[in-house]
């Protein structure tokens, strides 16, 4: 119940927030990338990250896993994919919010 209350307060317009956010996530010209995990033809989760080549810094900006795939390693695999890409781009430090 508390989780729902907190999320409802922090993300009162979650659908509107995502509608505005999603189109901005993938923009390679600005070093922003997205990957999607798929299982049996359905989306299992997605991750978005961005790199700051000048600072050798990277950030996971969004991570989501379908509730049927939480705890099965989908989120970990998505993060590992993003971190591997960041490392290939010369990133020395990466952060993500929890």
């Amino acid at each position: 119940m508390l989780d729902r209350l907190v999320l409802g307060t922090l993300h009162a317009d979650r659908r509107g927030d995502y509608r505005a956010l999603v189109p901005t996530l993938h923009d390679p010209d600005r070093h922003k990338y997205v990957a999607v995990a798929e299982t049996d033809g359905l989306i299992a989760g997605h991750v978005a990250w961005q790199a700051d080549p000048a600072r050798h810094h990277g950030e996971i900006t969004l991570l989501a896993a379908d509730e049927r795939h939480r705890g099965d390693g989908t989120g970990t695999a998505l993060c590992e994919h993003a971190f591997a890409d960041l490392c290939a781009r010369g990133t020395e430090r990466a952060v993500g919010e929890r």
Side-chain angles (χ1 to χ4, degrees), residues 55-97:
R55 294 177 45 220
H56 304 283
H57 182 268
E59 178 179 1
I60 300 283
T61 54
L62 182 66
L63 174 66
D66 182 276
E67 63 185 298
R68 294 166 291 192
H69 293 280
R70 292 182 189 149
D72 71 359
T74 297
T76 299
L78 286 164
C79 285
E80 288 174 350
H81 175 80
F83 290 142
D85 182 78
L86 286 167
C87 286
R89 295 175 191 285
T91 298
E92 296 171 0
R93 292 173 304 284
V95 298
E97 288 191 32

Side-chain angles (χ1 to χ4, degrees), residues 13-90:
D13 184 23
R14 184 176 34 166
R15 288 180 187 218
D17 291 347
Y18 278 125
R19 230 176 257 125
L21 176 66
V22 168
T24 70
L25 292 175
H26 187 74
D27 186 352
D29 290 338
R30 298 183 68 205
H31 311 286
K32 297 167 90 173
Y33 308 93
V34 172
V36 176
E38 188 178 313
T39 302
D40 298 326
L42 299 173
I43 294 174
H46 58 273
V47 64
W49 67 97
Q50 62 186 22
D52 182 345
R55 294 177 45 220
H56 304 283
H57 182 268
E59 178 179 1
I60 300 283
T61 54
L62 182 66
L63 174 66
D66 182 276
E67 63 185 298
R68 294 166 291 192
H69 293 280
R70 292 182 189 149
D72 71 359
T74 297
T76 299
L78 286 164
C79 285
E80 288 174 350
H81 175 80
F83 290 142
D85 182 78
L86 286 167
C87 286
R89 295 175 191 285

